[in-house]
């Protein structure tokens, strides 16, 4: 099993550009999510999904879109990049059982810089 | 709403103990604990569920007080490998929200 994979590992964008961060998991997990990590702010939830076709907003969703057409993939789209979106982005997945979240498996992260 | 962690940072000598606290203003159904080393992804340590069930690490323990909406992580006889940033995450209403983290440094 590859676990949770993310591409790219590093990306530099100019303000106003758009791009998609890719996330895939091969563990058949129902729950997938995107977090951003900034110094001193911890991990902040952007969007999450409890299954294919179902997505919802987290704490900081503005400027980001997601979709979940398959169980395996959960891409994050930046519509018009801004310097405030410079961050490290982590994708995570887990099983859902009995209404409780199980161990979250995190991808290696994508370090994004917006100039 | 983000859970609140304390302390923000702690420095220990090898063999010393530490306690990291996590509290929430919302009712908690589960509390997760993760450790992140510099430049790496967070790694799962433990889950505590409403009702007292625990799943996770053999050498690190935790408590979950549902009434007070608090959890504490107990690191005993710390090792150099315990260094990193510890995050608690609280699960309710369909999502998992993490605190800002506690940076733990263990010195020889």
């Amino acid at each position: 099993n590859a676990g949770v994979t993310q591409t790219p590992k590093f990306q530099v964008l100019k303000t106003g550009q758009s791009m998609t961060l890719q996330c895939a998991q091969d563990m058949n997990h129902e729950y997938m999510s995107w977090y951003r990590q900034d110094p001193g702010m911890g991990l902040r939830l952007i969007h999450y999904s409890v299954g294919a076709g179902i997505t919802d907003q987290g704490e900081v969703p503005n400027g980001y879109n997601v979709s979940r057409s398959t169980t395996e993939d959960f891409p994050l789209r930046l519509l018009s990049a801004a310097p405030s979106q410079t961050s490290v982005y982590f994708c995570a997945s887990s099983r859902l059982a009995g209404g409780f979240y199980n161990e979250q498996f995190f991808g290696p992260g994508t370090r994004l810089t917006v100039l | 709403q983000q859970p609140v962690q304390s302390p923000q940072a702690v420095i220990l000598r090898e063999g010393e103990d530490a306690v990291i606290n996590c509290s929430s203003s919302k009712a908690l159904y589960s509390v997760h604990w993760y450790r992140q080393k510099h430049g790496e992804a967070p790694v799962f340590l433990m889950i505590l569920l409403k009702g007292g069930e625990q799943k996770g690490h053999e050498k690190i323990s935790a408590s979950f007080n549902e009434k007070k909406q608090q959890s504490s992580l107990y690191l005993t006889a710390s090792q150099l490998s315990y260094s990193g940033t510890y995050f608690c995450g609280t699960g309710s209403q369909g999502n998992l929200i993490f605190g800002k983290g506690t940076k733990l440094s263990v010195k020889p």
Side-chain angles (χ1 to χ4, degrees):
Chain A
N1 284 350
V4 180
T5 58
Q6 291 184 237
T7 56
K9 289 189 178 179
F10 302 94
Q11 183 71 48
V12 178
L13 291 178
K14 294 182 179 177
T15 297
Q17 287 184 315
S18 62
M19 80 158 294
T20 300
L21 307 185
Q22 301 291 345
C23 174
Q25 52 91 9
D26 60 0
M27 297 172 281
N28 204 31
H29 285 167
E30 302 94 334
Y31 182 83
M32 295 186 74
S33 56
W34 278 101
Y35 293 89
R36 61 176 289 174
Q37 186 171 37
D38 305 293
M41 299 300 293
L43 295 155
R44 291 185 292 171
L45 181 65
I46 304 172
H47 286 284
Y48 65 97
S49 168
V50 296
I54 306 169
T55 63
D56 208 344
Q57 296 181 349
E59 302 169 274
V60 288
N62 292 340
Y64 307 95
N65 270 359
V66 292
S67 60
R68 183 115 178 254
S69 55
T70 68
T71 300
E72 295 79 18
D73 300 300
F74 192 43
L76 178 72
R77 296 182 188 83
L78 280 69
L79 308 173
S80 177
S84 61
Q85 293 179 304
T86 294
S87 188
V88 180
Y89 291 84
F90 287 102
C91 177
S93 75
S94 77
R95 290 188 305 112
L96 281 176
F100 295 111
Y101 300 97
N102 290 270
E103 173 184 355
Q104 298 285 313
F105 291 83
F106 283 85
T110 294
R111 186 174 294 274
L112 176 69
T113 302
V114 183
L115 303 175
Chain B
Q1 191 169 0
Q2 264 188 323
V4 177
Q5 289 186 234
S6 62
Q8 289 185 320
V10 59
I11 300 174
L12 298 175
R13 294 286 181 189
E14 265 188 299
E16 292 181 338
D17 301 339
V19 180
I20 300 172
N21 299 303
C22 174
S23 64
S24 174
S25 58
K26 288 187 170 183
L28 300 179
Y29 297 94
S30 64
V31 178
H32 296 223
W33 287 97
Y34 290 77
R35 178 170 61 209
Q36 184 181 31
K37 294 188 178 285
H38 184 70
E40 299 180 5
V43 173
F44 170 78
L45 293 176
M46 176 168 298
I47 291 176
L48 300 102
L49 303 177
K50 194 173 180 179
E53 184 180 355
Q54 289 190 30
K55 305 180 189 180
H57 209 278
E58 292 179 359
K59 296 187 179 179
I60 295 174
S61 63
S63 64
F64 181 18
N65 187 322
E66 297 163 34
K67 279 190 177 178
K68 291 186 177 181
Q69 295 164 190
Q70 293 176 344
S71 177
S72 295
L73 187 71
Y74 304 98
L75 302 156
T76 55
S78 58
Q79 307 168 17
L80 294 176
S81 62
Y82 284 10
S83 291
T85 300
Y86 289 77
F87 294 97
C88 71
T90 55
S92 64
Q93 297 183 342
N95 54 39
L96 185 60
I97 304 295
F98 287 94
K100 292 185 179 182
T102 296
K103 186 173 182 179
L104 178 73
S105 301
V106 181
K107 309 290 185 185

